[in-house]
């Protein structure tokens, strides 16, 4: 479902449960999800799943699957975050009409302002499934009580816990 509002720009902050404290509105706090890292036909994009889904149809053919995302390494992320589930927040700012991620920069170009900064991240290059690049907040949180699947893989994000099918 696509929803609209008549002002502001939206973006997802990966690795945080809240929006930055810069006059930004929290639309919802959710869970990072996507395809399984071993599925060759998995969707590439991560999604920020809301905590209160509305199911129209919950059964049928097994065409696509949604899995939760976990931090895999402690190198860049929270020192005790390996295996923990990745939160996300859908944020809306009223002081901008456009919000973009600028990879490889820690400052904005002239005329632009920082919303948040973090680490450029994706899944492990050796996994079967492709992933997209996202900016994970520089001080990431994780979801307490998340399920650690303890599967042997390598990469910054791995997607393994079934959230919905």
């Amino acid at each position: 479902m696509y929803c609209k509002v008549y002002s502001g720009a939206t973006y997802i902050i990966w690795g945080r449960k809240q929006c930055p404290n810069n006059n930004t509105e929290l639309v919802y706090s959710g869970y990072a999800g996507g395809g399984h890292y071993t599925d060759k036909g998995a969707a590439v994009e991560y999604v920020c799943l809301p905590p209160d889904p509305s199911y129209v149809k919950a059964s049928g053919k097994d065409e696509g699957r949604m899995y939760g995302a976990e931090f895999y390494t402690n190198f860049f992320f929270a020192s005790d975050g390996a295996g923990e589930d990745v939160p996300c927040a859908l944020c809306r700012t009223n002081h901008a009409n456009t919000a973009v991620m600028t990879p490889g920069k820690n400052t904005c170009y002239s005329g632009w302002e920082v919303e948040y900064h973090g680490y450029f991240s994706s899944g492990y290059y050796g996994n079967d499934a492709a992933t997209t690049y996202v900016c994970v907040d520089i001080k990431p949180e994780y979801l307490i009580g998340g399920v650690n699947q303890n599967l042997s893989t390598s990469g910054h994000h791995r997607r393994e816990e079934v959230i919905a099918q």
Side-chain angles (χ1 to χ4, degrees), residues 2-18:
Y2 274 89
C3 301
K4 66 180 178 180
V5 67
Y6 290 98
S7 65
T10 60
Y11 60 91
I12 296 171
I13 184 167
W14 300 101
R16 297 294 294 180
K17 301 171 195 171
Q18 298 293 322

Side-chain angles (χ1 to χ4, degrees), residues 4-85:
K4 66 180 178 180
V5 67
Y6 290 98
S7 65
T10 60
Y11 60 91
I12 296 171
I13 184 167
W14 300 101
R16 297 294 294 180
K17 301 171 195 171
Q18 298 293 322
C19 298
N21 189 14
N22 57 0
N23 297 318
T24 304
E25 168 193 3
L26 176 66
V27 178
Y28 68 82
S29 181
Y31 316 93
H36 196 276
Y37 69 95
T38 63
D39 290 349
K40 293 182 173 122
V44 173
E45 297 288 330
Y46 292 106
V47 294
C48 186
L49 298 164
D52 57 346
S54 303
Y55 296 107
V56 175
K57 185 175 182 181
S59 64
K61 288 187 173 184
D62 189 18
E63 300 293 337
R65 297 179 180 173
M66 180 67 64
Y67 296 84
E70 293 182 345
F71 289 117
Y72 181 67
T73 180
N74 290 330
F75 184 67
F76 287 112
F77 306 115
S79 62
D80 57 350
E84 297 294 344
D85 293 346

